[in-house]
Amino acid sequence: MTFPEDALTDDKFLTGRLRLLQPAQGYRAATDPVLLAAACPATAGQSVLDLGCGAGAAALCLAARVPGLSLAGLELQPEYAALARRNAARNGIAMQIETGDITAIPAELRRGFDHVIANPPYYPAAGSPSPVKLRDTALRVETPLAAWVAAAATRLNPGGWLTMIFSTPNLPEALGALAPKLGSPLVLPLAPRLGREAPRLILRARKTGRAAFRLLPPFVLHEGAAHDGDRENYTPEANAVLRDGASLSAAFR
């Protein structure tokens, strides 16, 4: 199963370093997968599994910053899995992509990884965030966040890192799911502006980690107290990540 060619857009990421095909009416990657990729502390030669990889945005943004990674992705929806394969190929990036559910990971991915990244659905199961079925499936919570954490813990090598981005109200569930396999949690709030509450956050946790929980200063995305016109107003730090593909490593110190 694939998306019709006339239903796709060809979008630039990282100021054109990546070109990704996305459905015009389905789930479309925005800033979250770029921020997720920037937060993953992978280095050349390591292996990375993207759970719920969609069209491949997060893993491919990571590969654009860190060459020499061994990439794999798992995607529930066959249409998106096929699109992720196309996007990897058209950007010259090797990536194994399998179709399946995180609660029953395919045999082809049952090995250890140095990193697992994930951008799980964030709308509650009740109601529907989108009339478009494929987008609805990508956005609505059908599998608890704890199951995503458990799937990641199973696939991580000892000492490996889980990096996830999700809605702030889901933090207690995620933290409660870490033990006994994951520890050393680091939480980076993503604030839209200085002094605003952070609706989203990034969580890092390490397999066999034993360090204490740390709540980091917020990473602020936009300058000023409010939007002041039809233009982007990212902070210099956010612009470096979203446009230039910089790492968020400094924010996790």
Side-chain angles (χ1 to χ4, degrees), residues 73-94:
L74 177 64
E75 171 54 40
L76 177 65
Q77 301 186 82
E79 296 89 345
Y80 278 96
L83 202 53
R85 294 184 190 102
R86 287 186 64 184
N87 282 330
R90 72 199 300 259
N91 285 282
I93 297 171

Side-chain angles (χ1 to χ4, degrees), residues 99 139 144 183-184 186 231:
T99 304
L139 294 177
S184 305
L186 298 165
R231 64 181 182 85

Side-chain angles (χ1 to χ4, degrees), residues 2-3 12 25 37 47 54-55 58 83 87 91 107-108 116 131 134 156 165 183 203 209-210 230-231 236 238 240:
T2 59
F3 290 100
K12 294 180 181 179
Q25 299 299 321
S47 56
L83 202 53
N87 282 330
N91 285 282
E108 294 86 352
V116 173
L134 292 175
L156 278 170
I165 186 169
L203 168 68
R210 296 292 180 265
D230 187 17
R231 64 181 182 85

Side-chain angles (χ1 to χ4, degrees), residues 93-118:
I93 297 171
M95 182 174 176
Q96 175 192 0
I97 298 156
E98 304 294 339
T99 304
D101 195 312
I102 64 161
T103 61
I105 291 180
E108 294 86 352
L109 294 175
R110 291 179 194 164
R111 61 182 184 272
F113 292 86
D114 299 309
H115 298 271
V116 173
I117 61 175

Side-chain angles (χ1 to χ4, degrees), residues 190-198 217-226 235:
L190 300 172
R193 298 182 187 278
L194 189 65
R196 298 277 190 91
E197 290 188 8
F219 184 78
V220 180
L221 295 172
H222 296 279
E223 294 185 315
T235 63

Side-chain angles (χ1 to χ4, degrees), residues 31-228:
T31 59
D32 280 3
V34 184
L35 291 165
L36 175 63
C40 178
T43 58
Q46 292 187 319
S47 56
V48 182
L49 172 61
D50 185 353
L51 293 178
C53 67
L60 297 178
C61 283
L62 177 57
R65 175 170 62 85
V66 184
L69 294 174
S70 175
L71 294 177
L74 177 64
E75 171 54 40
L76 177 65
Q77 301 186 82
E79 296 89 345
Y80 278 96
L83 202 53
R85 294 184 190 102
R86 287 186 64 184
N87 282 330
R90 72 199 300 259
N91 285 282
I93 297 171
M95 182 174 176
Q96 175 192 0
I97 298 156
E98 304 294 339
T99 304
D101 195 312
I102 64 161
T103 61
I105 291 180
E108 294 86 352
L109 294 175
R110 291 179 194 164
R111 61 182 184 272
F113 292 86
D114 299 309
H115 298 271
V116 173
I117 61 175
N119 178 15
Y122 50 88
Y123 282 101
S128 176
S130 172
V132 180
K133 183 180 183 301
L134 292 175
R135 186 170 190 268
D136 181 73
T137 300
L139 294 177
R140 188 165 18 146
V141 176
E142 296 290 352
T143 303
L145 188 60
W148 289 77
V149 174
T154 301
R155 298 274 61 87
L156 278 170
N157 292 324
W161 285 96
L162 164 64
T163 307
M164 301 179 74
I165 186 169
F166 52 84
S167 295
T168 300
N170 294 323
L171 179 59
E173 180 185 357
L175 291 176
L178 295 181
K181 293 183 178 181
L182 298 170
S184 305
L186 298 165
V187 173
L188 178 67
L190 300 172
R193 298 182 187 278
L194 189 65
R196 298 277 190 91
E197 290 188 8
R200 305 280 277 164
L201 55 80
I202 296 172
L203 168 68
R204 274 193 198 170
R206 193 168 198 178
K207 190 160 184 178
T208 67
R210 296 292 180 265
F213 169 84
R214 292 177 60 203
L215 179 61
L216 303 167
F219 184 78
V220 180
L221 295 172
H222 296 279
E223 294 185 315
H227 192 61
D228 62 355

